[in-house]
Amino acid sequence: MSGHQCTENPPKLDPNSGSGHVEKLGGLDSYVSGSTHSKLAVVLVSHVFGYETPQLRKLADKVAEAGFYAVVPDFFHGDPYNPANEDRPLPIWIKDHPQDKAFEDSKPVVDALKNKGITTVGAAGFCWGAKVAVELAKQELVKAVVLLHPSRVTVDDIKGVKVPISVLGAEYDQVTPPKLVQQFQNVLATKPEVKSFVKIFPRVKHGWTVRYDPNDPSEVEAAKEAHKDMLVWLINHVK
């Protein structure tokens, strides 16, 4: 995650964004959207800018409209990465927010969902959050995952995945370049028991699904296509 692409085009955070609300779930403040009567849930694990990212919450609302109970936990405990803080650049900030700790924090969230009557949980991880999602997939704590412009996900991670997985990468991704995504695909091709879908989106950069320019029609269209692919995967495998 050393690449500048993880932090460029930072979103303007808005704690009031989205049509859902914030509540405690598994000990974490979490943005939740959708019917509490749904038996299916999706945990969306954010990029370094956190759960108040408006485009991420908008996507969670879209997931909820598809029939899921959508949850975006605050794995940063009120301390998302702030590019304006020059005293705390990303390499320093990330030491306080290791992905392995977030994975441990995600377990009570999944348990809390099941205590609500949820029977099946899926996960989608964005950049930093993709590493958390892939760990959930390796431990079979969820039924299916989608990794969107992942960061710090390795070939060994993919080898350990035990549930249906979709990987959505970008042509101009310097963090997880197409060559690495192709390696993921090659590994998954040797695991026919694990359903998989891998796609590299042309003419887009790392972070395009939740940090797109709403005034650029091509960026909006590419994000919408990725959102659709994500939803199709979740609908087909989280049931």
Side-chain angles (χ1 to χ4, degrees), residues 8-9 16 18-19 52 57 63 73 79 89 141 149 189 207 228:
E8 66 183 17
N9 189 27
N16 298 312
S19 60
E52 292 180 353
R57 288 190 175 188
V63 171
D79 181 39
L141 297 176
H149 37 88
K228 180 181 177 182

Side-chain angles (χ1 to χ4, degrees), residues 70-237:
V71 179
V72 191
D74 178 16
F75 287 109
F76 306 136
H77 303 275
D79 181 39
Y81 174 67
N82 178 7
N85 185 351
E86 296 180 358
D87 294 330
R88 208 159 167 237
L90 187 64
I92 301 299
W93 176 90
I94 209 157
K95 289 179 181 178
D96 294 327
H97 301 289
Q99 290 150 311
D100 55 351
K101 180 182 184 302
F103 167 59
E104 293 302 322
D105 287 346
S106 73
K107 294 177 183 178
V109 173
V110 173
D111 289 342
L113 287 169
K114 292 185 175 178
N115 288 338
K116 280 179 173 283
I118 300 288
T119 57
T120 310
V121 180
F126 304 80
C127 187
W128 179 96
K131 181 74 168 182
V132 178
V134 83
E135 291 296 336
L136 288 165
K138 287 158 65 176
Q139 298 293 330
E140 292 184 272
L141 297 176
V142 293
K143 287 291 186 182
V145 296
V146 182
L147 311 185
L148 302 97
H149 37 88
S151 175
R152 296 192 174 187
V153 173
T154 67
V155 168
D156 283 343
D157 285 328
I158 300 300
K159 287 179 180 177
V161 167
K162 296 174 181 159
V163 301
I165 179 172
S166 171
V167 183
L168 306 182
E171 180 180 5
Y172 304 131
D173 195 324
Q174 298 166 4
V175 181
T176 300
K179 183 178 179 181
L180 181 54
V181 176
Q182 183 62 55
Q183 291 176 339
F184 294 168
Q185 187 168 26
N186 293 343
V187 167
L188 291 167
T190 69
K191 295 165 62 76
E193 72 280 8
V194 175
K195 293 179 181 178
S196 62
F197 176 79
V198 178
K199 181 174 178 178
I200 296 172
F201 284 71
R203 300 180 300 279
V204 295
K205 296 185 294 184
H206 181 83
W208 90 97
T209 68
V210 287
R211 296 207 305 274
Y212 54 88
D213 180 353
N215 297 313
D216 184 327
S218 64
E219 287 196 17
V220 172
E221 192 58 37
K224 282 184 176 179
E225 183 181 344
H227 299 165
K228 180 181 177 182
D229 288 346
M230 181 191 83
L231 274 173
V232 168
W233 191 257
L234 294 170
I235 289 167
N236 286 341
H237 298 290

Side-chain angles (χ1 to χ4, degrees), residues 18-20 31-33 56-66 70:
S19 60
Y31 175 80
V32 298
S33 184
L56 180 58
R57 288 190 175 188
K58 184 177 181 181
L59 180 53
D61 292 341
K62 194 179 295 186
V63 171
E65 289 169 7

